[in-house]
């Protein structure tokens, strides 16, 4: 059974879905591992290392001949449509923002597993790519803020005067948020944080941050993830956060709802209330953004409300990819551990065994046998198809056909 490891083709992506270490693990399952030339270069793994681990290096993968494809970034619709029926894919799928690719996977009869959908249970922790990549992203976003902020993070008492510490506010206390809190704290900043999940207060304190309590309903979904607030509650949340945002030198937003667009936490008006020189890092820019107006990969100057300066709004893009070596090490292990669940050695070398009675297999499966199994994504596709059909329906009505 052939497993393909491609060179990632999206601009800026430097990670790889297998390392020489995981190739040994995958080859031990009886899989024939094919690695595209240069797939691991940016992550520090040369082709020769893969060969020594048991892989075969090929100039370009024959997508249609693969039984399994392991990838990092979501597949494009063309690649998804090129896979043969019954092929298994494992990787990040970003279902809410990559609907054409999801539709192409379903139409092609591909069994796709989205690492974002792996259930948050103890048994699946070793497959949890959201956690492993969020760890890297949370660390990286603080470094990006520190580089851009025109002042120190820590307190300095010198003969020339005292430099007060920077004030950092982190919104969202998941893995990325907690890592951001810990990193900013280690750099010497005063760190504050908020999250709509009640259990996060103790976690924030354990990382050295001060929890900002808001008079707001809590919102925790199954698996420990946050759920989306109602429209009124979201408005109330922004009103309560506004004074805390205004007092901050650095604002870092990390809030995400799995399988859905990121919630809007900060408006442009709130950003304009910050001091000149302040930095806003939107870690969720690629999934819709927590901050109004953020654009992935761009630094946007926002004038302050009083016109005395500007704030820099950073739509962070590929933060985990910027640290490709460690990010790939963790990601590749997540992929290999999920594949070890799908490819059972006791069923014969390299034999797929898709047990949908297993909650990890069922929960992580995005498409199978022509069906989109993830209900929120299926609903988005239905709404998309309805929207696309409306102009044709209206035209038909005008022509008297309906």
């Amino acid at each position: 059974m052939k497993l393909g490891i491609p060179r990632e083709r999206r601009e800026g992506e430097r990670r790889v879905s297998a390392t020489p270490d995981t190739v040994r693990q995958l080859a031990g399952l009886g899989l024939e591992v094919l690695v595209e030339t240069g797939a691991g270069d940016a992550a520090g793994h040369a082709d020769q290392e893969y060969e020594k681990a048991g892989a075969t290096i090929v100039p370009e993968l024959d997508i249609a001949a693969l039984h399994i494809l392991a990838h990092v970034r979501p597949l494009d619709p063309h690649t998804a449509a090129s896979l043969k029926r019954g092929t298994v894919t494992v990787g990040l799928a970003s279902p809410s923002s990559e609907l054409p690719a999801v539709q192409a996977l379903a139409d092609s009869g591909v069994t796709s597993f989205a690492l974002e959908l792996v259930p948050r249970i103890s048994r699946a922790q070793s497959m949890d790519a959201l956690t492993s990549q969020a760890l890297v992203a949370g660390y990286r976003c603080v470094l990006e803020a520190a580089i851009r902020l025109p002042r120190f993070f820590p307190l300095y008492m010198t003969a020339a005067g005292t430099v007060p510490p920077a004030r950092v506010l982190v919104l969202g206390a998941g893995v990325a948020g907690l890592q951001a809190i810990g990193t900013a704290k280690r750099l010497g900043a005063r760190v504050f944080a908020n999250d709509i999940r009640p259990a996060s207060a103790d976690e924030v304190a354990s990382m050295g941050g001060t929890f900002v309590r808001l008079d707001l309903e809590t919102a925790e979904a199954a698996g420990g993830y946050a759920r989306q607030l109602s429209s009124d509650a979201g408005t109330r949340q922004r009103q309560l956060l506004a004074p805390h945002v205004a007092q901050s030198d650095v604002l870092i937003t990390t809030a995400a709802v799995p399988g859905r667009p990121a919630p809007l936490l900060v408006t442009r008006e709130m950003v304009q209330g910050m001091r000149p020189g302040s930095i806003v890092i939107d870690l969720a820019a690629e999934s819709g953004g927590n901050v109004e107006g953020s654009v992935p990969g761009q630094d946007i100057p926002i004038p302050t409300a009083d016109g005395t300066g500007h704030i820099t709004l950073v739509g962070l893009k590929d933060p985990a990819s910027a640290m490709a070596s460690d990010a790939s090490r963790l990601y590749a292990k997540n992929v290999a551990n999920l594949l070890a669940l799908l490819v059972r050695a006791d069923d014969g070398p390299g034999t797929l065994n898709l047990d949908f009675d297993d909650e990890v297999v069922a929960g992580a499966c995005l498409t199978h046998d022509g069906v989109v199994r993830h209900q929120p994504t299926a609903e988005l596709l239905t709404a998309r198809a309805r929207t696309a059909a409306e102009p044709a329906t209206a035209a038909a009505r005008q022509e008297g056909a309906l």
Side-chain angles (χ1 to χ4, degrees):
M1 186 159 288
K2 294 182 178 178
L3 162 64
I5 307 297
R7 283 189 305 275
E8 294 296 321
R9 280 152 171 91
R10 292 212 180 189
E11 184 182 352
E13 182 54 67
R14 298 164 54 85
R15 291 170 292 177
V16 63
S17 58
T19 62
D21 183 41
T22 64
V23 164
R24 292 187 190 91
Q25 179 182 351
L26 296 168
L29 295 173
L31 297 173
E32 179 185 357
V33 185
L34 308 176
V35 178
E36 271 192 340
T37 304
D41 282 355
H45 302 296
D47 292 345
Q48 294 84 347
E49 293 180 52
Y50 285 105
E51 282 186 311
K52 288 179 182 175
T56 300
I57 305 300
V58 296
E60 188 167 350
L61 287 174
D62 180 0
I63 295 293
L66 296 175
H67 301 97
I68 306 173
L69 175 65
H71 57 92
V72 179
R73 299 289 267 179
L75 299 176
D76 61 74
H78 174 72
T79 302
S82 301
L83 294 164
K84 65 182 178 185
R85 190 173 189 83
T87 302
V88 169
T89 65
V90 175
L92 297 171
S94 191
S96 64
S97 60
E98 300 287 343
L99 292 176
V102 176
Q103 188 64 62
L105 288 166
D107 292 344
S108 300
V110 171
T111 300
S112 60
F113 290 91
L115 290 171
E116 298 97 328
L117 304 182
V118 170
R120 203 175 217 189
I121 58 176
S122 298
R123 188 165 63 86
Q125 283 182 350
S126 64
M127 312 164 202
D128 188 353
L130 282 186
T131 294
S132 71
Q133 301 307 289
L135 178 78
V136 182
Y139 174 80
R140 182 74 188 190
C141 72
V142 175
L143 301 186
E144 296 287 348
I147 289 169
R148 290 170 172 82
L149 188 68
R151 51 172 303 191
F152 290 120
F153 262 40
L155 166 73
Y156 281 112
M157 300 180 72
T158 75
T162 299
V163 179
R167 186 181 176 108
V168 175
L169 175 63
V170 178
L171 300 182
V175 175
L178 291 174
Q179 180 61 221
I181 292 167
T183 304
K185 192 69 183 175
R186 286 193 292 274
L187 286 176
R190 295 177 64 202
V191 186
F192 301 81
N194 173 257
D195 193 289
I196 55 178
R197 295 168 302 134
S200 61
D202 290 341
E203 295 170 343
V204 169
S206 72
M207 299 301 290
T210 301
F211 191 74
V212 176
R213 296 187 184 278
L214 304 178
D215 182 17
L216 198 69
E217 66 177 271
T218 59
E220 185 163 346
Y225 290 107
R227 64 172 172 79
Q228 203 155 20
L229 291 174
S230 65
S231 177
D232 289 345
T235 301
R236 175 69 175 156
Q237 181 188 32
R238 290 189 286 274
Q239 290 172 344
L240 294 172
L241 282 173
H244 299 282
V245 170
Q247 295 170 15
S248 303
D249 300 300
V250 172
L251 169 65
I252 294 172
T253 64
T254 71
V257 179
R260 296 181 183 278
L264 178 65
L265 302 180
V266 180
T267 63
R268 180 182 174 92
E269 184 181 9
M270 292 165 70
V271 174
Q272 289 184 302
M274 299 176 76
R275 289 186 286 269
S278 299
I279 304 295
V280 179
I281 303 283
D282 188 353
L283 200 57
E286 290 184 271
S287 58
N290 294 145
V291 183
E292 183 181 5
S294 70
V295 178
Q298 291 189 19
D299 287 19
I300 301 173
I302 306 289
T304 58
D306 59 8
T308 58
H310 71 269
I311 300 103
T312 302
L313 170 57
V314 182
L316 213 55
K317 184 180 180 184
D318 306 320
S321 181
M323 306 185 72
S325 179
D326 283 335
S328 296
R329 184 204 310 270
L330 299 173
Y331 182 85
K333 202 64 183 174
N334 298 143
V335 169
N337 288 335
L338 180 55
L339 283 172
L341 187 65
L342 306 177
V343 181
R344 300 284 179 84
D346 53 1
D347 295 330
T351 303
L352 276 170
N353 182 5
L354 306 180
D355 178 9
F356 289 104
D357 289 331
D358 186 310
E359 64 178 315
V360 177
V361 176
C365 187
L366 177 60
T367 65
H368 175 64
D369 200 21
V371 176
V372 178
R373 291 173 56 97
H374 183 239
Q375 195 56 37
T377 304
E379 291 170 2
L380 287 173
L381 282 168
T382 301
R384 177 173 172 265
R386 190 182 300 126
T387 302
E390 283 176 356
T393 304
R397 283 200 178 105
Q398 284 183 348
E399 294 172 4
L402 293 177

